[in-house]
Amino acid sequence: MASRSTIMDNNSFRAEHAADLDPETRRLTERREELLGGSYRLFYRRPVHLVRGEGQYLWDAVGEKYLDMYNNVASIGHAHPAVAEAVHAQMQRLNTHTRYLHERILDYTDDLLSTLPAELEAGDYKAMFMCTGSEANDLALRVAKTHTGGTGFIATTEAYHGNSELSSSVSPALGTGQPIGENVWLLPAPDSYRTGIAEIGPWFAEKIRAAVTDMESRGVRFAGFIADSIFSSDGVLPGSYLGEAVDAVHAAGGVFIADEVQPGFARTGAQFWGFGAHGVVPDMITTGKPMGNGIPVAGLLARSEVLSSFSDTIPYFNTFGGNPVSMAAAQAVLDVIRREGLQQHAQEIGAEALARFQELGTAHSAVGDVRGAGLFIGFELVKDRQTREPDRDLALDMLEELRMRGVLTSVAGPHGNVLKLRPPLPFGRQDIDWAVGALDESLKALR
Amino acid sequence: MASRSTIMDNNSFRAEHAADLDPETRRLTERREELLGGSYRLFYRRPVHLVRGEGQYLWDAVGEKYLDMYNNVASIGHAHPAVAEAVHAQMQRLNTHTRYLHERILDYTDDLLSTLPAELEAGDYKAMFMCTGSEANDLALRVAKTHTGGTGFIATTEAYHGNSELSSSVSPALGTGQPIGENVWLLPAPDSYRTGIAEIGPWFAEKIRAAVTDMESRGVRFAGFIADSIFSSDGVLPGSYLGEAVDAVHAAGGVFIADEVQPGFARTGAQFWGFGAHGVVPDMITTGKPMGNGIPVAGLLARSEVLSSFSDTIPYFNTFGGNPVSMAAAQAVLDVIRREGLQQHAQEIGAEALARFQELGTAHSAVGDVRGAGLFIGFELVKDRQTREPDRDLALDMLEELRMRGVLTSVAGPHGNVLKLRPPLPFGRQDIDWAVGALDESLKALR
């Protein structure tokens, strides 16, 4: 099993930074300290106090403007009026639960299922709704266990799949304090750059097979493999390499759960779902963050026969899940993605941004690799291009430098050295200039 | 250990009822069948298709008006304009997460903590926010384990604490298909009526002590006791009897988790929180349903030293939890409770309703017991007042009769024979007349 880092603590305000804060920011951090549990983390040594958002831009309490290069919740743009109006209209009318009939959940489900691969037929997949990606993954893992009769899961060493007990048990990105399930096998992510292996698909499939063999030799029956198809927390690994691994999962009797909380909903441009790049059809698809543009809504789409193993015996009721207001928000998001052509936009502007970031990378020896799909880009910092030794300290300093230049982002990967560039989808050409300029200046300031 | 029923299936539409539906309702149930997972359940043999709500009233698609005697999500009234406007205003401005500073979560936490017993001091408790009561209970159970080093929990035989793997493991109300945790001991609820024991406090405390002894004799270390202080799913058991049990929990080194998802937020009238009636101070308090009037928001309030056992080692981030829009909804709810005097109203009108329901009960031999606190009333149906034999079939038929008379409710209790009367808090005097009339007519129609 690979070693584990404490990535979740990478970009965090800590008590020792308090002395450098302006009085207002210090007042707020002290109030948080007094009122909120210590598990809360703030981004940045000098935290940002946001008060307004619009599109890909954010403003803080003193009127400074920021370019959001990180948040995929407000995926169609901060404070999008279409979502605000849809929610307002529905809230004025009715907000209740799924034990009464309501048309919205049915219309939305129909629409959402239409985004699945065209070869699927009506009835092949069914939907369940909840409020967070954590809840979606918790349920998916439970369904996988019921369906297969197994308890063993495979995840990657920097995966993050949620905050419930079960979903956190497959979330090593939470750090070494977080217990990993005893029936969870962790594999290094399929990272071509870091392994130096070009044909990463067969390599990763072999890791899966070996993990299953090891698992079963220890008397643990295999239930499934859960992965975010762009491996966001593992460092952003776009590509088309999971087919053989998913075949291996199926050959071993397991299910493949595609955690689409990060890559889904048009972000990767070429496809609506992240798994589309791999040419695979997951047994279960979970989604959350970008689904309601900030209104808590999440979903599980599952093969009907997989889901029925669970639903035939166990009721599942999520009080707020699939309620008319959540569905109104979710429907508005889908409508906006289509109306504003955001998937095609993500593909075009993402390609342009990637090219510009790569061009910038060649000019700076600290940039080891720049890779992406649509508007999901990893920008990897190294001490040495030859050895590819990760430069975590530089990455953390870069976050602060970028923040000073109005660009908000964070880091990912087992070494915490990959800038995760994941802006709201309206990100435009003028923003590429802002981002490239800030990256260039920050690199120059630090190296 | 007590036996388990399948209460969650009690009030459910089933396929065999389809023949009796009007074409439009049948169309919707068929669409649900096709699109949604089979775990979804619909209330009523003839499901209700709701399209509008206001205050304590709901309207269906053909314009029929209903009196909501069941839903505590829209606790301050369906479609309350104060919540709709607060959410709309915040959605137009910003909706982001707790890794940036924002004043709303701090102001709301301050306000929420001020509802705790007056003897507590600032800093004694801290807050965490999530999106559902299930998430709040999942986290509370994890914190209890980390704090005590134990894994053993005590819950009651018809408890419902959530839908995640961990919270469902203490939720026998989900039915016999739901696995109960191997370290979970289930106790019969402190039900004076059903046991015939007037002094139920010492009886229940003794059950707790015996469970802990049994647990520890089997090598399981005690972590805590989780209960809804009015035992909603166990049949609605108001009173003031938990003090000795909570002392027993503490004496055994465990923590007491008060699941306030049902009794909290002014419903029981005399106190803001359900546990207040028992004169106890829980180590952890979880809340959800009534907190945002339908916007998904939930919280955990915990003794600072209990929470820090967890938060010192494990990060917890809930993407939507505590976001500015959720906090705006939650703040509006607290403001409305105070501005409209809903707690006092619940106490006064609840007492009046209880007296009228009790008076009605004396006139019908099928009514075994009517009990309540504020606007949370249990109406228990029996085959025989002497033997107190539960009449589940009558209770289920009553639901349908009441529905025909425009009164929406459901059942609770291990025998599924207790009508759970839990209307939105604006419930008024004219509604008592409607409810009493419908109960009277329904009882006459069936017996």
Side-chain angles (χ1 to χ4, degrees):
Chain A
M1 245 179 259
S3 67
R4 295 170 53 202
S5 79
T6 55
I7 186 82
M8 295 297 255
D9 264 337
N10 266 339
N11 174 18
S12 289
F13 170 76
R14 284 185 291 276
E16 69 256 34
H17 305 135
D20 299 330
L21 299 181
D22 63 272
E24 175 62 7
T25 305
R26 195 179 314 158
R27 183 182 72 80
L28 288 172
T29 58
E30 285 168 0
R31 280 190 83 194
R32 275 175 67 114
E33 179 80 13
E34 182 197 324
L35 295 167
L36 304 182
S39 286
Y40 278 99
R41 300 285 187 274
L42 277 168
F43 277 154
Y44 299 111
R45 293 166 203 156
R46 192 158 61 87
V48 185
H49 176 191
L50 297 173
V51 298
R52 189 162 79 81
E54 191 181 322
Q56 60 275 43
Y57 306 115
L58 291 159
W59 287 265
D60 69 14
V62 295
E64 287 291 325
K65 182 179 179 181
Y66 297 86
L67 173 62
D68 185 354
M69 290 285 289
Y70 186 67
N71 292 293
N72 74 325
V73 169
S75 188
I76 62 168
H78 288 281
H80 199 293
V83 185
E85 296 317 314
V87 165
H88 191 225
Q90 187 60 50
M91 284 191 76
Q92 291 176 300
R93 216 170 150 69
L94 178 72
N95 195 15
T96 184
H97 55 75
T98 51
R99 282 183 169 142
Y100 305 116
L101 292 166
H102 201 272
E103 201 107 32
R104 268 204 188 281
I105 188 173
L106 302 172
D107 292 344
Y108 178 70
T109 302
D110 235 349
D111 207 358
L112 187 63
L113 290 174
S114 77
T115 64
L116 293 183
E119 69 263 31
L120 297 174
E121 289 179 20
D124 282 354
Y125 279 69
K126 290 187 196 247
M128 305 282 293
F129 295 100
M130 46 296 295
C131 298
T132 68
S134 297
E135 290 192 324
N137 284 329
D138 192 288
L139 181 58
L141 295 164
R142 290 173 73 199
V143 171
K145 290 203 274 188
T146 313
H147 181 67
T148 61
T151 57
F153 286 101
I154 297 173
T156 50
T157 48
E158 281 301 320
Y160 178 71
H161 297 295
N163 57 37
S164 70
E165 181 172 81
L166 181 57
S167 58
S168 66
S169 80
V170 291
S171 296
L174 284 165
T176 49
Q178 166 63 44
I180 292 304
E182 56 178 348
N183 291 348
V184 175
W185 265 247
L186 298 179
L187 301 183
D191 185 336
S192 275
Y193 174 73
R194 206 130 277 299
T195 58
I197 296 164
E199 287 295 312
I200 202 72
W203 176 89
F204 191 64
E206 190 45 42
K207 295 269 180 203
I208 295 265
R209 285 185 209 103
V212 173
T213 302
D214 185 45
M215 190 180 285
E216 305 216 318
S217 77
R218 291 162 197 262
V220 174
R221 185 156 163 194
F222 180 47
F225 168 50
I226 181 165
D228 153 4
S229 54
I230 200 165
F231 295 88
S232 314
S233 303
D234 288 283
V236 187
L237 310 172
S240 175
Y241 49 75
L242 277 182
E244 191 175 333
V246 172
D247 287 345
V249 168
H250 287 150
V255 296
F256 171 47
I257 302 168
D259 178 347
E260 290 282 332
V261 168
Q262 298 204 51
F265 277 78
R267 172 158 299 279
T268 60
Q271 295 87 15
F272 185 84
W273 298 102
F275 64 77
H278 299 276
V280 300
V281 183
D283 302 292
M284 287 187 268
I285 300 159
T286 56
T287 179
K289 291 193 208 297
M291 204 173 164
N293 221 47
I295 291 294
V297 50
L300 167 67
L301 304 179
R303 277 190 202 279
S304 301
E305 71 275 15
V306 170
L307 188 56
S308 68
S309 315
F310 178 88
S311 56
D312 288 352
T313 52
I314 304 181
Y316 179 92
F317 176 62
N318 190 303
T319 301
F320 304 130
N323 76 35
V325 167
S326 298
M327 293 292 96
Q331 187 66 61
V333 168
L334 263 191
D335 292 346
V336 166
I337 289 173
R338 283 186 291 240
R339 194 168 64 233
E340 299 183 4
L342 291 178
Q343 185 180 328
Q344 197 182 339
H345 174 76
Q347 183 170 21
E348 289 167 5
I349 207 78
E352 218 171 299
L354 180 63
R356 292 281 303 283
F357 294 149
Q358 285 173 331
E359 186 191 335
L360 174 76
T362 59
H364 291 275
S365 63
V367 181
D369 192 39
V370 184
R371 53 190 178 256
L375 282 171
F376 209 149
I377 293 172
F379 191 93
E380 179 146 8
L381 297 163
V382 292
K383 290 184 177 161
D384 182 311
R385 274 191 183 157
Q386 254 50 53
T387 65
R388 302 185 178 184
E389 189 187 343
D391 198 340
R392 178 176 184 272
D393 292 341
L394 176 63
L396 295 180
D397 288 341
M398 282 288 287
L399 296 181
E400 306 292 333
E401 290 285 333
L402 288 167
R403 178 224 184 284
M404 285 198 290
R405 289 167 178 85
V407 173
L408 300 180
T409 185
S410 196
V411 289
H415 311 287
N417 68 317
V418 181
L419 302 184
K420 185 154 100 175
L421 304 174
R422 186 188 52 175
L425 302 183
F427 183 83
R429 192 155 294 140
Q430 73 284 9
D431 305 315
I432 301 180
D433 294 337
W434 185 345
V436 167
L439 284 165
D440 189 36
E441 286 173 31
S442 300
L443 284 163
K444 283 176 179 153
L446 293 167
R447 287 285 284 262
Chain B
M1 242 178 263
S3 66
R4 294 170 54 204
S5 78
T6 55
I7 186 82
M8 293 298 254
D9 264 338
N10 267 338
N11 174 16
S12 289
F13 170 75
R14 285 186 290 277
E16 68 256 34
H17 305 134
D20 299 330
L21 300 181
D22 63 273
E24 176 62 9
T25 305
R26 194 180 314 159
R27 182 183 71 80
L28 289 171
T29 58
E30 285 169 0
R31 279 190 82 195
R32 274 176 67 114
E33 179 80 12
E34 182 196 325
L35 293 167
L36 304 181
S39 287
Y40 278 99
R41 300 285 186 275
L42 276 167
F43 277 155
Y44 299 112
R45 293 168 202 155
R46 192 158 61 86
V48 185
H49 176 192
L50 297 172
V51 297
R52 189 162 79 80
E54 192 182 320
Q56 59 275 42
Y57 306 116
L58 291 159
W59 285 264
D60 70 14
V62 295
E64 287 291 327
K65 184 179 178 181
Y66 297 86
L67 172 61
D68 185 353
M69 291 284 290
Y70 186 68
N71 292 293
N72 74 326
V73 169
S75 188
I76 62 168
H78 288 281
H80 198 293
V83 185
E85 296 317 314
V87 164
H88 191 225
Q90 187 60 50
M91 284 191 77
Q92 290 176 302
R93 213 167 154 71
L94 179 71
N95 195 15
T96 183
H97 55 75
T98 52
R99 282 182 169 142
Y100 305 116
L101 292 166
H102 201 274
E103 202 105 32
R104 268 204 187 282
I105 187 172
L106 302 172
D107 293 344
Y108 178 70
T109 302
D110 235 349
D111 207 358
L112 187 63
L113 289 174
S114 77
T115 64
L116 293 184
E119 68 264 29
L120 297 174
E121 289 178 21
D124 282 354
Y125 279 68
K126 291 187 195 245
M128 306 282 293
F129 296 100
M130 46 294 296
C131 299
T132 67
S134 297
E135 290 192 324
N137 284 328
D138 192 288
L139 181 58
L141 294 165
R142 291 172 72 200
V143 171
K145 292 203 272 188
T146 313
H147 180 68
T148 60
T151 56
F153 286 101
I154 296 173
T156 50
T157 47
E158 280 302 320
Y160 178 71
H161 298 295
N163 58 36
S164 70
E165 181 171 81
L166 181 58
S167 59
S168 66
S169 80
V170 291
S171 297
L174 284 164
T176 47
Q178 166 62 45
I180 293 303
E182 55 178 349
N183 291 348
V184 175
W185 265 247
L186 298 179
L187 300 183
D191 185 337
S192 276
Y193 175 73
R194 208 131 275 301
T195 59
I197 296 165
E199 287 297 311
I200 201 73
W203 177 88
F204 192 64
E206 190 45 43
K207 295 268 179 204
I208 295 265
R209 285 185 209 102
V212 172
T213 302
D214 185 46
M215 191 180 284
E216 304 214 320
S217 77
R218 291 161 197 263
V220 174
R221 184 157 164 195
F222 181 47
F225 168 50
I226 182 167
D228 153 3
S229 53
I230 200 165
F231 295 89
S232 314
S233 303
D234 288 283
V236 187
L237 310 171
S240 175
Y241 48 75
L242 277 182
E244 190 176 334
V246 171
D247 287 345
V249 167
H250 287 149
V255 295
F256 171 48
I257 302 168
D259 177 347
E260 290 282 332
V261 168
Q262 299 204 50
F265 277 78
R267 172 158 300 280
T268 61
Q271 295 87 14
F272 185 84
W273 298 102
F275 63 78
H278 299 276
V280 299
V281 183
D283 302 292
M284 287 187 269
I285 300 159
T286 55
T287 179
K289 290 192 208 295
M291 204 174 165
N293 221 47
I295 291 293
V297 50
L300 167 67
L301 303 179
R303 277 189 202 281
S304 301
E305 72 274 15
V306 171
L307 189 55
S308 69
S309 315
F310 178 88
S311 56
D312 288 352
T313 51
I314 304 181
Y316 179 93
F317 177 61
N318 190 305
T319 302
F320 304 129
N323 76 35
V325 168
S326 298
M327 293 291 97
Q331 186 66 61
V333 168
L334 263 191
D335 292 345
V336 166
I337 288 173
R338 283 185 292 240
R339 194 168 64 232
E340 300 184 3
L342 291 177
Q343 186 180 325
Q344 196 182 340
H345 175 76
Q347 185 171 17
E348 290 166 5
I349 206 78
E352 216 171 303
L354 181 63
R356 292 281 303 282
F357 294 151
Q358 284 173 332
E359 185 191 334
L360 175 76
T362 58
H364 290 276
S365 63
V367 181
D369 192 39
V370 184
R371 52 190 179 255
L375 282 171
F376 208 149
I377 294 172
F379 191 94
E380 178 147 9
L381 297 162
V382 293
K383 290 184 176 163
D384 182 312
R385 274 192 183 154
Q386 254 50 54
T387 65
R388 303 185 178 185
E389 189 187 343
D391 198 340
R392 178 177 183 270
D393 291 342
L394 176 63
L396 295 181
D397 287 342
M398 281 289 287
L399 296 181
E400 307 291 333
E401 290 285 332
L402 288 167
R403 178 223 184 284
M404 285 198 292
R405 290 167 178 85
V407 173
L408 300 181
T409 186
S410 196
V411 289
H415 311 286
N417 68 318
V418 181
L419 302 184
K420 186 155 100 174
L421 305 175
R422 185 187 54 175
L425 302 183
F427 183 83
R429 191 154 296 140
Q430 72 285 9
D431 304 316
I432 301 180
D433 294 336
W434 185 345
V436 168
L439 285 165
D440 189 37
E441 285 173 33
S442 299
L443 283 163
K444 284 176 178 152
L446 293 167
R447 287 287 283 262

